[in-house]
């Protein structure tokens, strides 16, 4: 990560020099986007460390760990919002069914209702 930070800093310095000679609003916006992307990448290890998550949050969402379930994704969405994410898309990894729909929709809705409500409440 340190090497990447040095590259970002060097590019930032070059961009600032360019802006002094030839101001360009589009370039300024692009630089801001790149810096935001790097900031987001750098925050991933802390985001994925669930050791600071209180037990009541796991109970509220109905999740024990980051297992890729919809419940875990909802808890991750809350953590992303807390860190300033502007857009989050949630998905249920096993929603596409073409037969026995009453049976499968009861299962899928059951897996989604509690964590969705928890996310809204939280």
């Amino acid at each position: 990560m340190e090497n990447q930070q040095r590259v970002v800093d060097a590019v930032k310095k070059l961009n600032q020099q360019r802006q002094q000679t030839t101001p360009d609003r589009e370039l300024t916006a692009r630089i801001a986007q790149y810096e935001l992307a790097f900031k987001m990448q750098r925050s991933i290890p802390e985001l994925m460390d669930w050791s600071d998550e209180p037990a009541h949050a796991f109970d509220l969402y109905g999740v024990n760990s980051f297992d890729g379930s919809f419940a875990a994704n909802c808890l991750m969405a809350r953590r992303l919002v807390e860190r300033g994410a502007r857009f989050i898309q949630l998905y249920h990894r096993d929603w596409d069914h073409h037969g026995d729909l009453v049976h499968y929709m009861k299962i899928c809705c059951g897996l989604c209702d509690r964590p969705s409500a928890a996310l809204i409440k939280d």
Side-chain angles (χ1 to χ4, degrees):
M1 196 60 74
E2 288 179 30
N3 286 338
Q4 190 175 10
Q5 181 65 56
R6 283 196 296 270
V7 169
V8 168
D9 291 342
V11 170
K12 183 177 182 177
K13 186 176 180 179
L14 290 170
N15 288 334
Q16 288 170 342
Q17 290 173 354
R18 167 85 160 111
Q19 286 293 78
Q20 289 173 354
T21 60
T22 313
D24 182 345
R25 294 175 69 186
E26 185 176 322
L27 180 60
T28 302
R30 189 171 296 147
I31 291 167
Q33 291 170 351
Y34 289 148
E35 289 174 353
L36 176 61
F38 178 67
K39 179 181 173 186
M40 291 169 61
Q41 289 173 354
R42 191 174 56 212
S43 71
I44 294 297
E46 184 269 333
L47 173 71
M48 298 303 293
D49 177 8
W50 288 33
S51 64
D52 64 339
E53 199 64 53
H56 72 270
F58 290 110
D59 293 339
L60 181 64
Y61 285 83
V63 66
N64 295 318
S65 65
F66 185 64
D67 57 6
S69 65
F70 185 77
N73 288 342
C74 285
L75 183 53
M76 181 63 71
R78 196 222 55 225
R79 292 173 63 88
L80 285 163
V81 167
E82 289 173 341
R83 287 154 180 83
R86 297 178 186 166
F87 177 83
I88 300 163
Q89 180 176 349
L90 291 168
Y91 68 95
H92 185 283
R93 64 182 173 198
D94 192 27
W95 192 271
D96 190 21
H97 299 285
H98 301 279
D100 202 8
L101 293 179
V102 172
H103 170 76
Y104 285 115
M105 289 304 100
K106 286 180 182 178
I107 293 171
C108 290
C109 290
L111 293 172
C112 293
D113 287 352
R114 179 179 177 179
S116 296
L119 182 58
I120 292 166
K121 180 180 178 183
D122 216 3

